[in-house]
Amino acid sequence: MESSTARGNWSGRVGFVLAAAGSAIGLGNIWMFPYRAGQYGGAAFVLVYLGAVVLVGLPLLNSEILLGRATRRNPVGALRLLSPGTGWPVVGWLGVIAGFVILSYYGVVAGWALDYTWMAVSGQLFSSTSGSMSGAFEKLVANGPRQVLWQGLFMLATIFIVSRGVEQGIERTGKILMPLLFGIVLVLLGYSLTSEGVERGLDFFMRPRFSELGWEGALAALGQAFFSLSLGMGAMITYGSYLGEDESLPGSVAMIAVADTALAILAGLVIFPLVFTFNLEPSAGPGLVFITLPQAFAMMPAPAFLASLFFLLLIFAALTSAVSLLEVAVAFLVDEFKLPRVTASVGAGAIIFCLGLPSALSEGFLDHVDALASNWLLPVGGLCTALFVGWSLDRAAARKFYSAGGSGRGFELFHFCIKYLAPVAVGVILLQNTWPAISGLFAG
Ligand code: PFF
């Protein structure tokens, strides 16, 4: 067995929690969560999302971290160590593949944020008097080379951080960027909560409209919880593998989930009052952050300052998440093939950059890859992880892994959730996604 220091380690609990919160808090919170809440009935979506975080997200987050911590291995190695000679390591492989797929388009969207920040800082974003933000966005997504340039820069930053190692690269980035990120959110919150549209914005976001939710919205909320907490692809197994056995788990897990959820809600509290102040469309979908919000900024004092601040926030959030996506592949290559970390980071990063080119170059491709990852790869990965911990791993071992470094309080509830509740809930998402195809087969 390799020594743990050769793989790297968090310096302690704070470093781990900030890095894991950095993984969780990302485009999912600031870009996706508000637009989905806007589309699916405001607080109706938020309530289902919160339920999913508590009942499915928390136990799965706990499971992934404890698997990593107990084995000190990447997702493939972790499952192979615990279940040699079985098919379970395939789940780890699925996670590594999901990391490649998600980061390929994640880098493109993060690239948009870089482009917007540059445009805001250089004074171009608000320069045209016609001020059509949807025109600006359409121009950007129609310009492949420009997107590839920003995606490439973003990937270079991600590769650089990961190549520096667990403590010097990933942990340090989390320790710097996470406090900055919360700071920026608070400044923006000051603007939005004193804006004229605050009452209508809060009403829109905080009042449940169940008629707009439907099954589709409920399932989107469950998928959102997965994506937002970085579950179902072994990112948290990987981060857990750098955690000491002497750190108690449930407290850290709760902190990560609370930080992630808080940031999603805060993003909604920043965006909706501003959107209502200027009578814009709150249910705009994916364009909410890239079209509607800049339209609101354009009508405020110091629009370039506000836009730079907001898109910087998006970049920071995306960077700490991208780092965790790349780290899954790097940990796998370092553990299994004994590649030096720098070689693994550059190699995997370069492949992912190339995989992202279709998302940057052809409109619409990105949505398909996103759907593949959120609707399929993560839920399948999460379901398998829940089945492994709940049914395959023996209960005594699960209890031992869960309790290491702490009192083991809450184990019974955890085990019930991971054994029954999580598989049923995730099974429902998958069925919902496969049902049209299955019923089509019979109808045909
Ligand atoms: N949690 C990230 C977000 O909300 O943007 C995305 C993500 C990161 C998903 C890492 C999965 C993952 F393993």
Side-chain angles (χ1 to χ4, degrees):
M1 208 191 273
E2 71 274 346
S3 82
S4 56
T5 43
R7 302 179 76 248
N9 261 321
W10 307 116
S11 66
R13 188 175 185 199
V14 176
F16 164 67
V17 170
L18 285 176
S23 167
I25 296 169
L27 296 173
N29 304 60
I30 303 169
W31 173 52
M32 283 181 192
F33 177 80
Y35 89 66
R36 288 192 169 159
Q39 278 176 323
Y40 294 118
F45 178 87
V46 178
L47 285 174
V48 179
Y49 171 76
L50 291 178
V53 166
V54 173
L55 297 175
V56 181
L58 279 175
L60 257 172
L61 188 56
N62 231 316
S63 299
E64 288 206 12
I65 298 174
L66 69 78
L67 287 177
R69 185 179 64 164
T71 57
R72 311 199 64 77
R73 287 222 182 2
N74 69 90
V76 177
L79 292 167
R80 192 185 306 120
L81 190 71
L82 292 172
S83 221
T86 66
W88 284 110
V90 173
V91 179
W93 276 100
L94 200 73
V96 176
I97 294 169
F100 276 79
V101 173
I102 295 178
L103 187 49
S104 77
Y105 72 86
Y106 207 85
V108 176
V109 179
W112 297 345
L114 278 171
D115 187 281
Y116 269 69
T117 310
W118 164 248
M119 299 264 287
V121 171
S122 63
Q124 297 168 59
L125 192 60
F126 301 105
S127 64
S128 89
T129 37
S130 64
S132 160
M133 288 299 155
S134 66
F137 184 64
E138 265 146 36
K139 232 162 86 190
L140 170 62
V141 294
N143 188 339
R146 186 164 137 200
Q147 292 180 83
V148 171
L149 174 80
W150 291 117
Q151 178 218 1
L153 273 178
F154 180 79
M155 285 305 299
L156 276 180
T158 308
I159 292 169
F160 175 73
I161 294 168
V162 172
S163 70
R164 303 223 39 203
V166 176
E167 195 182 335
Q168 292 305 313
I170 303 175
E171 177 175 328
R172 206 190 246 184
T173 308
K175 278 184 167 161
I176 298 171
L177 293 190
M178 281 297 110
L180 269 177
L181 187 133
F182 273 92
I184 296 181
V185 170
L186 293 182
V187 173
L188 291 169
L189 203 63
Y191 277 89
S192 82
L193 293 185
T194 51
S195 69
E196 228 179 84
V198 65
E199 253 176 57
R200 278 172 301 146
L202 291 186
D203 182 66
F204 177 80
F205 185 43
M206 292 300 185
R207 196 166 45 83
R209 295 179 303 281
F210 285 101
S211 60
E212 289 168 34
L213 180 71
W215 268 106
E216 190 187 311
L219 297 163
L222 206 52
Q224 175 70 27
F226 260 85
F227 188 84
S228 194
L229 286 169
S230 303
L231 296 173
M233 53 152 287
M236 292 298 177
I237 297 185
T238 308
Y239 273 22
S241 75
Y242 306 125
L243 186 64
E245 290 264 307
D246 46 349
E247 309 286 351
S248 157
L249 269 197
S252 304
V253 166
M255 279 193 264
I256 297 163
V258 166
D260 183 54
T261 309
L263 213 104
I265 306 267
L266 288 175
L269 292 179
V270 165
I271 292 170
F272 290 116
L274 295 181
V275 168
F276 275 89
T277 300
F278 301 103
N279 296 319
L280 299 167
E281 174 53 55
S283 319
L288 182 66
V289 155
F290 289 102
I291 301 169
T292 316
L293 192 63
Q295 268 164 357
F297 288 151
M299 291 183 266
M300 294 173 73
F305 168 74
L306 285 175
S308 327
L309 212 57
F310 180 82
F311 288 106
L312 208 59
L313 166 76
L314 205 55
I315 296 169
F316 289 170
L319 192 58
T320 48
S321 298
V323 158
S324 71
L325 288 160
L326 183 58
E327 179 61 22
V328 174
V330 169
F332 168 73
L333 294 170
V334 169
D335 286 354
E336 304 293 316
F337 298 97
K338 307 285 172 258
L339 284 187
R341 172 170 277 274
V342 175
T343 315
S345 312
V346 174
I351 294 172
I352 291 169
F353 168 72
C354 295
L355 288 177
L357 292 178
S359 294
L361 294 173
S362 103
E363 280 181 62
F365 189 85
L366 192 150
D367 300 335
H368 292 298
V369 197
D370 180 25
L372 170 76
S374 326
N375 298 347
W376 292 101
L377 294 174
L378 298 187
V380 169
L383 175 63
C384 294
T385 309
L387 292 176
F388 179 76
V389 173
W391 296 86
S392 171
L393 193 66
D394 91 24
R395 196 186 169 89
R399 183 189 291 279
K400 186 173 135 228
F401 296 163
Y402 177 93
S403 312
S407 65
R409 219 178 27 194
F411 174 77
E412 297 302 329
L413 181 62
F414 157 74
H415 205 256
F416 173 80
C417 290
I418 206 67
K419 188 163 183 165
Y420 300 107
L421 221 81
V424 169
V426 181
V428 171
I429 306 191
L430 289 174
L431 255 183
Q432 145 80 16
N433 286 316
T434 39
W435 189 246
I438 298 174
S439 55
L441 272 184
F442 288 108

